[in-house]
Amino acid sequence: MKVSRLTVLASLLVLFTTGCSIDSESPEQLIKDKPVYNEKKEALYNAIKQQLPSINSSLILPSNSSEVGKINEVDLDSDGVDEIIAFEKKEIMNSDQKEVGFLILSKNPNDTYTNKDNLLQKGDSIEYANFYDLNGDGNKEIILLIKGNEKTNLHIYSYKEGKIKKYIL
């Protein structure tokens, strides 16, 4: 009889000390602070996704990610309005070839975006990307170091009058 009382007492002790709760909250109720949602950035991201040429394209982060990101806002042509520069990678179907490059968008007054131009070069990754005024004309050039299978090439581009132009080195 002592054993049965001891067993019942031990069972009750275990039941009450497990911390189980009868009422449970939903996941929405458990989150006290709601996540911050930035609608402008969501609109920009959706506009860039629509401008990517195919299903095999995606945004990429250059290797010097401390200086630039996948999506950058830079005033390339010194008109006081930032252009959106997004770096992309495209894998060509049925081959081992890949292309990397960027696209340029401009923001419209109604918070929509227009594709100005894009450029892709053969390569696997962007090792370096940045924006500098190299020739002192007030416009920033786009500098890319693109790594391919066998070598790494430096490419410099200008953006004037809504078009990308490659500098020949």
Side-chain angles (χ1 to χ4, degrees), residues 46-149:
N46 288 335
I48 290 170
K49 280 178 58 176
Q50 288 176 354
Q51 299 300 328
L52 290 178
S54 71
I55 200 163
N56 296 329
S57 294
S58 61
L59 294 175
I60 62 166
L61 183 64
S63 294
N64 64 323
S65 60
S66 63
E67 298 176 43
V68 296
K70 289 180 182 180
I71 302 170
N72 304 276
E73 294 184 38
V74 179
D75 186 6
L76 293 174
D77 51 7
S78 298
D79 62 354
V81 178
D82 286 346
E83 283 76 31
I84 310 298
I85 299 98
F87 297 107
E88 66 177 301
K89 181 176 187 175
K90 179 181 178 184
E91 295 186 28
I92 299 171
M93 299 273 300
N94 300 326
S95 75
D96 292 340
Q97 290 185 341
K98 296 176 184 135
E99 295 178 331
V100 293
F102 60 95
L103 59 94
I104 298 176
L105 302 173
S106 66
K107 186 175 181 179
N108 301 323
N110 60 354
D111 288 336
T112 60
Y113 296 89
T114 303
N115 187 3
K116 289 297 187 179
D117 206 354
N118 67 334
L119 183 125
L120 291 170
Q121 294 283 334
K122 288 183 181 179
D124 294 325
S125 65
I126 299 176
E127 293 298 307
Y128 180 84
N130 221 321
F131 315 98
Y132 295 109
D133 182 7
L134 298 175
N135 57 6
D137 65 351
N139 298 328
K140 292 184 179 176
E141 283 73 38
I142 303 162
I143 296 104
L144 294 180
L145 200 57
I146 297 176
K147 183 178 182 180
N149 289 337

Side-chain angles (χ1 to χ4, degrees), residues 4-72:
S4 64
R5 283 187 193 179
L6 189 58
T7 306
V8 169
L9 187 60
S11 299
L12 287 174
L13 183 64
V14 169
L15 180 65
F16 290 123
T17 59
T18 57
C20 294
S21 175
I22 296 173
D23 63 327
S24 64
E25 297 177 345
S26 70
E28 292 83 12
Q29 293 169 334
L30 291 173
I31 299 175
K32 302 293 182 210
D33 298 324
K34 303 293 182 203
V36 176
Y37 181 75
N38 190 328
E39 291 179 8
K40 289 182 181 180
K41 289 190 178 187
E42 181 71 18
L44 172 61
Y45 184 73
N46 288 335
I48 290 170
K49 280 178 58 176
Q50 288 176 354
Q51 299 300 328
L52 290 178
S54 71
I55 200 163
N56 296 329
S57 294
S58 61
L59 294 175
I60 62 166
L61 183 64
S63 294
N64 64 323
S65 60
S66 63
E67 298 176 43
V68 296
K70 289 180 182 180
I71 302 170
N72 304 276

